[in-house]
Amino acid sequence: MKMDDIARLAGVSKSAVSLALSGKPGISAETRERVLEIARESGYAPKPRAASSELPSRSLSFLVFTNAGIVLEEYYQQPFFRELIHYIEDRCRSKGYSLLFSTVNMNHFDRDIRSIAEIQQSDGVILLGTNLHPHEITEIAERLGPQLVVLDNCFDTLPLHFVAINNVMGAYQAGEHLCRSGHREIGYIASNVRIHNFDERREGFEQALRDNDLTLSPEHTFAVAPTMISSQEDLKAHLKLYLEPGRRLPTALFCECDYIAIRTLKTLTELGVRVPEQVSVVGFDNITESQIVSPELTTIHVEKKRMAQLAVDLVIESIELGEETHTKIRVDTRFIERSSTKKA
């Protein structure tokens, strides 16, 4: 069976089939699933083709498991992942490798990981581990082999390569800045979808408060959806409920990611709360949009370029040198002060 046949059976264009099989964005989840189902039933196994003889003969796969909470079906459009992928592609080109994309919906984890293992054509895999748990990463590694690096997550007990953010350090930097700026009533806006990164950020932030003789009050802790496409209404409802008895907001709020922080800025403005005059706001990730909002967002810079380079280099080292010793790398963060914070 050819791609033209799959396109005819699925009732879509050949280009849509190509996007579905490569895992790239640009089609709906329903279309992608329909194409993949037809391909599986027909035993179709796509073979990577070079557009010219000058293109690399070796390739890496960027493997993503999407869900409704953190890594969306349109993950390529999410600012953090968009930047990360850009740097991965650059590093692959500089090392003489092409980059293929594979996307799996978490609802079909078992079935689709088997399919990927059966038709795996690349020399190694960079697994985006942001939203994955240890048992899921273990199963993926067992099926796909040793030439694999997990990016944006780290579990110390798993014998695999990991490249992750130093989340504890970053959140500690945020908390330390607010404390040194004289804030004594500090709030925390968490994601209501929990991942390892967010748990580490909570740990680092609370450590900074403890080191400054402060604690995080439960009444100053809020939880909202963590993605940019989420509505601001849930956060507005939380804050309105808090303010109803005549209480004042904390003088500063730390948000577990920039997506939440940007929604917080907009929500506070709608509630008539001035930032940073009444409330300072700090985010985490330093996505490009953090400089577009008003006021510009104080945040924690994640070295996405460095993480991408390390991930590519580690998997290529495994491929070319057969290195069996695993490495776990946590890349340090930088505090970026902009105009969304001020001294208390």
Side-chain angles (χ1 to χ4, degrees), residues 198-260:
F198 293 155
D199 291 341
E200 291 183 335
R201 292 173 194 181
R202 178 73 174 252
E203 176 188 345
F205 191 76
E206 290 189 332
Q207 182 180 334
L209 295 190
R210 287 195 300 271
D211 289 350
N212 286 273
D213 299 320
L214 295 176
T215 57
L216 189 60
S217 170
E219 70 175 9
H220 291 162
T221 302
F222 309 93
V224 296
T227 60
M228 286 286 280
I229 65 170
S230 301
S231 169
Q232 291 166 215
E233 293 306 313
D234 56 346
L235 179 57
K236 187 183 293 186
H238 282 304
L239 296 181
K240 278 185 174 180
L241 185 63
Y242 173 85
L243 292 168
E244 274 180 3
R247 291 179 292 198
R248 293 188 307 172
L249 287 171
T251 61
L253 293 168
F254 171 69
C255 304
E256 283 187 330
C257 66
D258 282 353
Y259 302 144
I260 293 175

Side-chain angles (χ1 to χ4, degrees), residues 141-301:
E142 287 174 350
R143 292 183 179 275
L144 299 186
Q147 282 73 44
L148 179 143
V149 173
V150 183
L151 181 61
D152 196 33
N153 206 339
C154 186
F155 294 103
D156 292 330
T157 57
L158 297 186
L160 297 167
H161 289 306
F162 286 92
V163 177
I165 305 164
N166 190 340
N167 291 292
V168 174
M169 177 184 183
Y172 187 94
Q173 290 169 326
E176 183 72 6
H177 169 77
L178 293 175
C179 291
R180 289 189 176 184
S181 297
H183 294 280
R184 308 302 293 174
E185 292 187 356
I186 301 174
Y188 192 97
I189 304 186
S191 164
N192 60 12
V193 178
R194 302 311 299 169
I195 59 173
H196 195 59
N197 284 345
F198 293 155
D199 291 341
E200 291 183 335
R201 292 173 194 181
R202 178 73 174 252
E203 176 188 345
F205 191 76
E206 290 189 332
Q207 182 180 334
L209 295 190
R210 287 195 300 271
D211 289 350
N212 286 273
D213 299 320
L214 295 176
T215 57
L216 189 60
S217 170
E219 70 175 9
H220 291 162
T221 302
F222 309 93
V224 296
T227 60
M228 286 286 280
I229 65 170
S230 301
S231 169
Q232 291 166 215
E233 293 306 313
D234 56 346
L235 179 57
K236 187 183 293 186
H238 282 304
L239 296 181
K240 278 185 174 180
L241 185 63
Y242 173 85
L243 292 168
E244 274 180 3
R247 291 179 292 198
R248 293 188 307 172
L249 287 171
T251 61
L253 293 168
F254 171 69
C255 304
E256 283 187 330
C257 66
D258 282 353
Y259 302 144
I260 293 175
I262 290 171
R263 288 166 57 212
T264 299
L265 292 177
K266 294 178 179 179
T267 301
L268 290 174
T269 298
E270 291 178 8
L271 292 174
V273 178
R274 299 189 308 278
V275 178
E277 291 81 9
Q278 292 174 277
V279 178
S280 290
V281 176
V282 180
F284 198 117
D285 286 331
N286 195 28
I287 61 176
T288 53
E289 284 76 1
S290 64
Q291 296 183 70
I292 298 173
V293 294
S294 181
E296 291 187 2
L297 182 64
T298 295
T299 187
I300 302 301
H301 176 72

Side-chain angles (χ1 to χ4, degrees), residues 2-4 7-8 12-20 49:
K2 299 179 180 179
M3 286 179 62
D4 290 326
R8 177 176 51 78
V12 298
S13 66
K14 185 176 177 180
S15 61
V17 173
S18 178
L19 289 173
R49 294 182 301 165

